[in-house]
Amino acid sequence: MDGEDDAAMTPEDLEWKFSQVFGERAAGEEVQEVDIISAIEFDKTGNHLATGDRGGRVVLFEKTDRVDHGVHRRVLEGMDCSSSRHPEFRYKTEFQSHEPEFDYLKSLEIEEKINKIRWCQTANNAMFLLSTNDKTIKFWKVQEKKIKQISNLNVEPSRPTSNGFISSSNVPTSFKACSANGGCIDNPLSCRSNNLSFLPGGISSLRLPMVTSHETSLLARCRRTYAHAHDYHINSISNNSDGETFISADDLRINLWNLEISSQSFNIVDVKPANMEDLTEVITSAEFHPSHCNMLAYSSSKGSIRLLDLRQSALCDTHSKLFEENEAPGSKSFFTDIISSISDIKFAKGGRYILSRDYMTLKLWDINMGSGPVATFQVHEHLRPKLCDLYENDSIFDKFECCLSGDGQRVATGSYSNMFRVFGCSEGSSEATTLEATKNPARRQIQTPPRFLRSPGNHSHGVNKREGSDYNSGGVDINGNTFDLSTKLLHLAWHPNENSIACAASNSLYMYYA
């Protein structure tokens, strides 16, 4: 599925390998709350990666132009020989994006935690990105600045001044020449002092100082701050393909911004009822279409996705398309509405497909088919008997992200025990890989059918409960392995051009390639 068309041949299953880790925790080391990663995002080229944490910091990484055995990639390209590509990233810089705040009008503390990061278009060798916490969005510019230094001086002070120049205060008063009217002349070059050292040749070799810049430093500067536009916590930001606008979404509203204007925004979606007691669903995620600047989609807590067209009206009270899956008769329970809430949506690169993640499953939707998902991937079906326990410890409200490969052939999402799962979504693919975010990821094939394609004669997307002690025993996952609800992999991102995944396990950033 190259964004539009299905692959003619089913691709082979990928063999995932560990690439590198940043911020690995030592055995027994306690993780600080502020160090836990809360957002991950590749830029469009895949050459840069940004992470945000609960301490309000944004850390940038850049791809190194290397392949296996340390050989420069361009050298191999010139030799017209192939090499196993091993994408690696290195630390570039970091900056404090948000600080903790306090809303005095509402007596509300605003966390510095970074909720989302989105890369913007580059210009003049500078990188631009948006970052947001619960209330405030910031537009950052990161650029290399040359460090200016003054060199080639005639006179070098033995006691350097703060600005690199010799001031009259460094010259003893007894050595200052006096003029006829009794005034003193500050002339450090005309006197001999232990504080000054002359180059050979004396005054005859006087030369002007030179300003040189041999070193560069990365400087992050906040260009604009978009604030006071959301009454509820911001859950999504998304760039428009026009490069000029972006949207921000909270529980009840979606606002449209111009990157150059921070003083005002346009409310394009408002689902707040006149009486809050009538509220039945909230907005959980929103994203612009990757190529059509007039289209965007948002998901809701009821498990539905709405596609909007900004050309229809300024306020998009009505959707152009609705995507939802009908409930099977008699299947509704107390937990149905909770586990059907969509935590994340992503457009495929071509824009034809939308991937959504709810608590139990991944679903792939074709925007040309509103009758139901074209494929469903079971992620947490083994936890269904434990929903009551998950509700009591609030794990059922965990919000897992999802991502698609650049070629649209595979999808991925996180799970508990720092696991993440990769599924093949092309026609005829049965790929289902489970990996653990460690240096030695253990590959495990999922035992139950992970994928259910929609066909004209089959409208069932359910899964029969698997019999046996493994399925019903507490703390055991679908493969008979124990799972840990306290370690969860919520955030991950797929490289836009390569089979490489970056995922966050607590404060550590793990990267894998295939």
Side-chain angles (χ1 to χ4, degrees):
M1 185 189 69
D2 189 14
E4 302 293 338
D5 301 322
D6 291 335
M9 298 179 62
T10 303
E12 296 181 357
D13 292 0
L14 296 179
E15 188 72 37
W16 291 94
K17 301 175 183 178
F18 170 79
S19 175
Q20 57 191 141
V21 59
F22 295 94
E24 185 180 19
R25 179 175 47 170
E29 180 184 357
E30 184 178 352
V31 177
Q32 300 296 322
E33 181 79 11
V34 294
D35 294 331
I36 296 177
I37 298 174
S38 57
I40 301 179
E41 184 77 7
F42 281 103
D43 70 348
K44 287 186 177 181
T45 65
N47 293 328
H48 293 93
L49 173 68
T51 66
D53 61 26
R54 294 187 181 182
R57 292 165 298 193
V58 173
V59 183
L60 304 184
F61 302 87
E62 66 177 352
K63 188 177 179 181
T64 58
D65 196 19
R66 297 277 174 181
V67 292
D68 281 348
H69 313 300
V71 182
H72 202 279
R73 182 175 290 119
R74 294 196 185 106
V75 174
L76 292 172
E77 289 173 353
M79 296 170 59
D80 194 22
C81 62
S82 61
S83 171
S84 57
R85 302 183 68 181
H86 183 189
E88 287 190 354
F89 283 76
R90 65 185 176 190
Y91 171 85
K92 189 174 181 71
T93 187
E94 67 180 87
F95 56 90
Q96 188 72 31
S97 174
H98 287 73
E99 300 281 357
E101 301 175 32
F102 188 81
D103 189 335
Y104 292 97
L105 293 177
K106 298 182 179 179
S107 296
L108 182 68
E109 291 185 3
I110 303 174
E111 290 183 327
E112 66 270 34
K113 171 191 168 189
I114 305 296
N115 290 341
K116 295 289 181 181
I117 297 174
R118 291 292 180 266
W119 289 90
C120 303
Q121 293 181 357
T122 59
N124 300 324
N125 294 324
M127 298 177 291
F128 296 89
L129 49 88
L130 290 166
S131 63
T132 183
N133 63 354
D134 287 337
K135 295 291 183 180
T136 305
I137 307 165
K138 293 186 178 182
F139 183 47
W140 291 91
K141 177 182 180 181
V142 182
Q143 189 176 29
E144 286 189 348
K145 291 288 186 180
K146 293 183 178 180
I147 301 176
K148 295 181 180 180
Q149 294 179 333
I150 299 174
S151 61
N152 202 26
L153 294 172
N154 278 88
V155 181
E156 299 294 339
S158 59
R159 293 180 296 177
T161 59
S162 60
N163 59 6
F165 292 96
I166 302 174
S167 63
S168 60
S169 61
N170 287 344
V171 183
T173 308
S174 59
F175 288 103
K176 292 184 180 180
C178 295
S179 61
N181 59 6
C184 289
I185 303 172
D186 293 344
N187 188 5
L189 294 179
S190 64
C191 59
R192 289 187 178 274
S193 169
N194 294 331
N195 294 333
L196 304 177
S197 59
F198 290 86
L199 296 176
I203 303 301
S204 61
S205 63
L206 179 65
R207 55 183 178 270
L208 292 175
M210 295 180 62
V211 178
T212 59
S213 54
H214 298 291
E215 299 179 0
T216 59
S217 175
L218 278 170
L219 177 66
R221 186 164 63 93
C222 182
R223 294 286 304 275
R224 288 176 188 85
T225 299
Y226 314 89
H228 311 300
H230 288 278
D231 292 330
Y232 304 92
H233 290 178
I234 298 173
N235 56 47
S236 303
I237 53 175
S238 179
N239 304 88
N240 198 344
S241 58
D242 62 8
E244 298 178 355
T245 56
F246 70 94
I247 56 171
S248 60
D250 63 21
D251 291 343
L252 299 179
R253 292 186 177 94
I254 299 178
N255 294 331
L256 178 66
W257 300 84
N258 188 299
L259 282 169
E260 301 296 325
I261 303 172
S262 60
S263 59
Q264 64 178 353
S265 63
F266 298 95
N267 178 235
I268 56 176
V269 175
D270 189 347
V271 299
K272 184 178 181 179
N275 185 355
M276 286 296 286
E277 294 181 356
D278 298 329
L279 182 66
T280 58
E281 63 179 334
V282 296
I283 299 169
T284 57
S285 182
E287 184 166 291
F288 260 119
H289 190 280
S291 56
H292 299 323
C293 62
N294 58 286
M295 294 178 63
L296 65 119
Y298 73 89
S299 60
S300 79
S301 58
K302 277 195 169 182
S304 61
I305 301 173
R306 290 172 172 84
L307 193 65
L308 307 178
D309 191 339
L310 297 177
R311 296 172 298 183
Q312 291 182 346
S313 62
L315 182 62
C316 300
D317 292 323
T318 58
H319 50 267
S320 57
K321 285 187 178 181
L322 175 66
F323 306 97
E324 60 183 356
E325 189 173 20
N326 296 325
E327 295 179 5
S331 63
K332 189 172 179 64
S333 68
F334 173 78
F335 304 108
T336 300
D337 290 341
I338 301 176
I339 62 176
S340 63
S341 175
I342 296 176
S343 57
D344 189 27
I345 60 170
K346 292 285 193 311
F347 272 100
K349 195 171 184 178
R352 176 174 172 177
Y353 296 92
I354 299 176
L355 180 67
S356 68
R357 171 68 202 267
D358 56 45
Y359 188 74
M360 304 297 288
T361 65
L362 272 173
K363 292 185 174 72
L364 190 66
W365 308 79
D366 187 337
I367 64 173
N368 297 328
M369 295 173 57
S371 55
V374 295
T376 299
F377 309 92
Q378 300 295 341
V379 180
H380 283 162
E381 187 63 27
H382 59 283
L383 297 179
R384 192 175 293 275
K386 305 296 180 183
L387 290 180
C388 186
D389 296 334
L390 295 169
Y391 177 78
E392 290 180 356
N393 60 24
D394 288 339
S395 294
I396 200 171
F397 301 105
D398 289 335
K399 300 183 183 302
F400 293 91
E401 294 181 0
C402 59
C403 59
L404 299 97
S405 61
D407 58 8
Q409 300 286 355
R410 295 170 180 86
V411 297
T413 190
S415 182
Y416 294 107
S417 300
N418 283 339
M419 299 282 191
F420 67 97
R421 291 179 172 172
V422 181
F423 302 98
C425 58
S426 58
E427 189 69 29
S429 174
S430 60
E431 181 177 358
T433 305
T434 303
L435 294 161
E436 184 180 5
T438 61
K439 284 188 173 181
N440 299 306
R443 177 173 176 155
R444 303 182 182 93
Q445 290 295 331
I446 297 181
Q447 296 176 3
T448 58
R451 183 169 181 269
F452 297 89
L453 286 175
R454 184 176 181 84
S455 60
N458 179 18
H459 298 278
S460 173
H461 296 264
V463 177
N464 294 326
K465 289 188 177 181
R466 187 168 147 268
E467 297 179 357
S469 59
D470 287 352
Y471 188 87
N472 296 305
S473 61
V476 178
D477 68 8
I478 203 167
N479 298 310
N481 303 300
T482 57
F483 61 87
D484 182 6
L485 296 177
S486 64
T487 55
K488 46 201 170 189
L489 199 152
L490 301 177
H491 311 286
L492 76 171
W494 201 303
H495 192 283
N497 305 317
E498 300 175 358
N499 286 322
S500 177
I501 293 178
C503 54
S506 186
N507 66 322
S508 302
L509 176 67
Y510 286 89
M511 306 197 70
Y512 301 90
Y513 72 101

